Amino acid sequence: MVVPPLLRVVIMGPPGSGKGTVSSRIIKHFGMKHLSSGDLLRDNMQKKTEVGILAKSYIDQGRLIPDDIMTRLMLNELKGLDRYNWLLDGFPRTVAQAEALDKECQIDTVIDLDVPFETIKCRLTARWIHPASGRVYNLEFSPPKVQGIDDITGEPLVQRDDDKPETVTKRLQAYDAQTKPVLEYYREKGLLKSFSGTETNKIWPHIYAFLQTKLPDVSQKDAATPR
Ligand SMILES: Nc1nc2c(ncn2[C@@H]2O[C@H](COP(=O)(O)OP(=O)(O)O)[C@@H](O)[C@H]2O)c(=O)[nH]1
Ligand SMILES: Nc1ncnc2c1ncn2[C@@H]1O[C@H](COP(=O)(O)OP(=O)(O)O)[C@@H](O)[C@H]1O
């Protein structure tokens, strides 16, 4: 039996562009393992690990965590996902991180969510998350069934400290300066696939159709109306 090669996908886009939202749809339909750098850092912050304590000081200022710390953390985590198709969300965010990742594995495709900054700013102030799972809600776009409560576990939702308007501005500046060059890096390698728009529900069918050329839909739901 010929075993198809494992798929290595990166999802990129500015803060609030919908990476988490789209990732959860990808996982549901295509059964990939999802590794989110932000979720991993928040988990470390909550557990007050050495990395978590250090990360907090950067995240609260809207700055990126230094490359060496971030790369070690993520590459170590990826080792455990060796045997799966995976989707990497929030990493790499600098060219140095992308180069370090390239040394470890071959990326097949990079999904870029190209959403304008003006659209993003209002979204983030209405974002609520369930820290333990990384599930993300929005008061207008995807509200929880009961206000302030996670749909699945019934646990309380929280707002991220770094979703304050002044921190959001700094994060968008960091994206422009440090992460946009990563898009160029992947474009030059012919791996970048950009999806432009202001609404996730309009962008998603295109991403779905693109991934369907690479993986079968493993979800139980009707694949004609993927959500
Ligand atoms: N209004 C609106 N909100 C959205 C849309 N897509 C995602 N969101 C919300 O915007 C916020 C940021 O999305 P998220 O997936 O967390 O983005 P990430 O920061 O790139 O991972 C969350 O509160 C989402 O629920 C959309 O099309 N319209
Ligand atoms: N690859 C990375 N390199 C450096 N810092 C990172 C990285 N990933 C996440 N962070 C830090 O964690 C914060 C939150 O990340 P994330 O949850 O991915 O934000 P968003 O989903 O809003 O883009 C970032 O603003 C940054 O400070």
Side-chain angles (χ1 to χ4, degrees):
M1 192 176 75
V2 181
V3 182
L6 291 165
L7 197 66
R8 270 76 182 90
V9 180
V10 169
I11 184 162
M12 293 186 64
S17 55
K19 298 183 295 295
T21 307
V22 169
S23 293
S24 62
R25 294 182 189 185
I26 292 178
I27 298 159
K28 180 176 139 197
H29 286 281
F30 299 106
M32 304 177 80
K33 294 280 178 188
H34 176 223
L35 180 58
S36 152
S37 58
D39 287 350
L40 187 59
L41 289 168
R42 281 183 287 279
D43 187 46
N44 273 274
M45 291 194 312
Q46 200 244 331
K47 291 180 178 145
K48 297 199 164 51
T49 65
E50 204 179 322
V51 167
I53 291 165
L54 186 118
K56 185 167 170 32
S57 61
Y58 287 91
I59 292 179
D60 285 351
Q61 294 176 57
R63 294 172 58 198
L64 295 186
I65 281 84
D67 285 333
D68 54 338
I69 297 169
M70 206 59 222
T71 301
R72 206 176 319 130
L73 183 71
M74 294 301 283
L75 294 185
N76 189 42
E77 207 68 25
L78 277 181
K79 275 192 203 136
L81 302 181
D82 251 10
R83 293 176 299 116
Y84 301 94
N85 295 318
W86 51 242
L87 172 68
L88 201 46
D89 163 5
F91 181 92
R93 257 175 158 99
T94 66
V95 171
Q97 292 177 12
E99 286 169 349
L101 181 61
D102 269 349
K103 289 202 182 107
E104 292 301 313
C105 62
Q106 196 184 334
I107 300 300
D108 295 295
T109 191
V110 177
I111 293 173
D112 164 39
L113 303 182
D114 179 23
V115 180
F117 279 10
E118 309 81 72
T119 307
I120 282 167
K121 281 204 162 182
C122 352
R123 283 187 189 178
L124 291 182
T125 43
R127 170 159 68 183
W128 287 77
I129 63 162
H130 176 243
S133 66
R135 264 185 293 281
V136 55
Y137 299 86
N138 186 280
L139 296 186
E140 295 133 37
F141 172 69
S142 54
K145 291 186 186 118
V146 179
Q147 199 184 334
I149 301 293
D150 178 49
D151 288 351
I152 310 285
T153 62
E155 289 167 358
L157 300 176
V158 298
Q159 277 201 287
R160 282 169 47 175
D161 287 341
D162 60 339
D163 279 346
K164 288 187 295 239
E166 45 308 354
T167 318
V168 167
T169 304
K170 291 199 189 119
R171 285 161 62 202
L172 292 175
Q173 285 164 352
Y175 177 81
D176 250 347
Q178 292 167 276
T179 308
K180 273 208 177 148
V182 182
L183 296 181
E184 280 317 307
Y185 177 89
Y186 285 128
R187 199 191 315 272
E188 277 168 22
K189 289 182 183 289
L191 298 178
L192 193 70
K193 187 84 185 138
S194 286
F195 297 87
S196 305
T198 55
E199 288 172 52
T200 299
N201 288 345
K202 289 199 178 147
I203 294 178
W204 167 244
H206 299 282
I207 298 177
Y208 177 81
F210 171 65
L211 284 177
Q212 243 196 340
T213 65
K214 302 184 180 295
L215 286 175
D217 186 332
V218 294
S219 73
Q220 303 300 313
K221 292 246 173 78
D222 177 12
T225 51
R227 272 295 151 109

